[in-house]
């Protein structure tokens, strides 16, 4: 038997989901332990550091969490070979592919690491929503950017993208059929939120040494709420022994070993 939050194992991807449903509204928690998308625009998929030319190292870690036992830890950005030009960063992409008028909010939690510990490091943990006008299928006509106004290395901070609120910055990309409205909610009917990205680092030397944690991504649409919980799962029986099972959220050592042996 899995621990309470680990219920359904999805074959060929690292996602485990717990779902509860009411007559009109669905709420689910999905545990993410790695890429769940096989390709760009794979509906509902997550991809981490898809662009290897700018990727900075990261890991699923038990060192900190705002939900469950773990989170994603982005290691200190090095801006080293082959990215000596300062291009290193971390990008977590989720391909939502949902009508914009169905998106109510997207929030995420972050905690700044202690490697560099400068006052404004929280600004390196930012969000992009890529939206297309009706009939457009490209990378995104409009990019709505949200930069945190505060952050901490002693606990997690929640930041929210609300389509009804003017974001930190708006970019109308080349080739867009129209200028982007000040609020994403004002995009015309038929517009789509193709994907969103949670980033650490700004692809310049100003982010060198920044590290930190990401967790608890909450996507709310008119159809319900999905919570994405970044977690670590055991891969060897040895990790379950000597009370190691506790760190992964299992009820006992036997549950942990069963998961390693069966994935269930």
């Amino acid at each position: 038997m899995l621990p309470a939050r680990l219920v359904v194992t999805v074959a060929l991807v690292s996602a485990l989901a717990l779902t509860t449903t009411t007559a009109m509204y669905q709420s689910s928690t999905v545990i993410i332990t790695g890429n769940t998308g096989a390709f760009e625009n794979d509906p509902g998929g997550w991809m981490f550091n898809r662009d290897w030319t700018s990727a900075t190292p990261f890991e699923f870690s038990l060192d900190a969490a705002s939900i469950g036992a773990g989170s994603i830890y982005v290691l200190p950005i090095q801006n080293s070979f082959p990215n000596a030009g300062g291009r290193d960063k971390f990008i977590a992409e989720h391909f939502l592919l949902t009508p914009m008028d169905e998106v109510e909010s997207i929030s995420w939690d972050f905690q700044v690491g202690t490697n560099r510990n400068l006052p404004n490091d929280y600004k390196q943990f930012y969000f992009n929503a890529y939206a297309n006008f009706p009939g457009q299928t490209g990378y995104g006509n409009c990019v709505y950017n949200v930069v945190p106004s505060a952050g901490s290395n002693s606990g997690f901070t929640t930041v929210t993208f609300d389509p009804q609120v003017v974001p930190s910055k708006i970019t109308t990309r080349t080739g867009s059929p129209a200028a982007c409205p000040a609020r994403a909610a004002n995009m015309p009917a038929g517009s789509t939120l193709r994907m969103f990205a949670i980033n650490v680092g700004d692809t310049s030397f100003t982010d060198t040494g920044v590290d930190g944690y990401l967790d608890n991504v909450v996507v709310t649409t008119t159809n319900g709420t999905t919570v994405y919980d970044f977690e670590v799962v055991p891969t060897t029986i040895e990790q379950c022994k000597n009370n190691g099972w506790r760190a992964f959220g299992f009820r006992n050592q036997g549950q942990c070993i069963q998961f390693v042996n069966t994935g269930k």
Side-chain angles (χ1 to χ4, degrees):
M1 181 179 295
L2 289 172
R5 70 177 190 276
L6 302 179
V7 176
V8 180
T9 301
V10 181
L12 301 181
V13 298
S14 298
L16 303 164
L18 167 63
T19 303
T20 57
T21 306
T22 64
M24 297 296 293
Y25 193 85
Q26 176 174 299
S27 179
S28 63
T29 297
V30 181
I31 295 180
I32 303 295
T33 64
N35 286 345
T36 67
F39 49 84
E40 182 179 4
N41 294 328
D42 190 357
W46 281 92
M47 297 186 76
F48 302 102
N49 275 352
R50 179 164 57 95
D51 184 359
W52 67 270
T53 65
S54 62
T56 201
F58 74 99
E59 62 188 23
F60 288 80
S61 170
L62 294 170
D63 291 342
S66 65
I67 184 175
S71 63
I72 287 178
Y73 173 55
V74 179
L75 278 67
I77 296 174
Q78 298 299 315
N79 287 312
S80 56
F81 181 83
N83 301 318
R87 298 190 301 272
D88 280 357
K89 65 180 296 186
F90 171 82
I91 308 175
E93 299 172 288
H94 182 57
F95 301 100
L96 198 58
L97 299 172
T98 296
M100 179 59 78
D101 57 11
E102 294 183 5
V103 178
E104 295 184 350
S105 66
I106 301 170
S107 67
W108 71 101
D109 295 352
F110 77 94
Q111 179 175 317
V112 182
T114 59
N115 180 68
R116 191 169 81 162
N117 199 25
L118 296 181
N120 291 325
D121 279 351
Y122 64 85
K123 294 181 180 179
Q124 300 288 347
F125 296 75
Y126 59 95
F127 172 95
N128 308 124
Y130 294 83
N132 282 315
F133 284 106
Q136 302 291 303
T137 59
Y139 195 71
N141 301 135
C142 303
V143 185
Y144 292 91
N145 309 290
V146 179
V147 179
S149 58
S152 171
N153 56 26
S154 61
F156 280 84
T157 301
T158 299
V159 188
T160 301
F161 165 69
D162 184 341
Q164 301 285 350
V165 175
V166 175
S168 305
K169 180 182 178 182
I170 305 165
T171 301
T172 300
R173 292 175 59 85
T174 302
S176 175
C180 300
R183 295 174 174 83
N186 292 337
M187 293 189 72
S191 298
T192 302
L193 181 53
R194 184 184 75 90
M195 59 88 76
F196 64 82
I198 302 172
N199 311 271
V200 180
D202 62 3
T203 64
S204 76
F205 287 111
T206 63
D207 60 14
T208 301
V210 170
D211 68 322
Y213 302 88
L214 302 171
D215 204 7
N216 193 32
V217 181
V218 182
V219 179
T220 300
T221 71
T222 54
N223 296 314
T225 295
T226 303
V227 178
Y228 294 99
D229 177 10
F230 301 132
E231 291 290 352
V232 183
V233 294
T235 57
T236 68
I237 291 175
E238 290 302 316
Q239 290 176 300
C240 299
K241 295 180 178 180
N242 299 317
N243 289 322
W245 53 272
R246 296 180 184 275
F248 298 105
F250 291 92
R251 292 192 182 96
N252 53 55
Q253 180 174 296
Q255 277 192 337
C256 182
I257 292 173
Q258 180 180 348
F259 178 79
V260 172
N261 289 335
T262 67
K264 299 180 181 179

